[in-house]
Amino acid sequence: MLEQLKARAETTGRAAASDAAGRLAERVREAVPAVSVTVEGSAVTLAGRGLWRRWLADPALRWLGGLLR
């Protein structure tokens, strides 16, 4: 019984993380032009020319979790 609950909780958690990653990717695409966004499972990867410099200057890039509110 406990193993079933653990497996169900893990499946639910993975689905929620995947959903949050998808929502974050969409919001980053809207908020930060000229940045490539890819999602693999629950991982969100940003790429683009001058991204490091933009990360330093743009609060939307430094606080990506704020885009999920």
Side-chain angles (χ1 to χ4, degrees):
M1 176 79 170
L2 184 58
E3 292 300 318
Q4 290 174 340
L5 271 174
K6 284 182 182 179
R8 194 165 144 198
E10 186 174 327
T11 301
T12 302
R14 286 179 195 251
S18 223
D19 179 55
R23 287 185 293 124
L24 177 62
E26 285 303 314
R27 295 206 173 118
V28 168
R29 286 182 187 112
E30 292 169 2
V32 188
V35 170
S36 170
V37 182
T38 58
V39 178
E40 294 178 19
S42 62
V44 179
T45 305
L46 307 179
R49 183 176 172 96
L51 187 57
W52 180 252
R53 185 175 52 252
R54 289 183 70 186
W55 178 79
L56 291 172
D58 190 347
L61 285 171
R62 286 194 312 268
W63 302 104
L64 293 174
L67 294 174
L68 289 176
R69 291 185 216 167

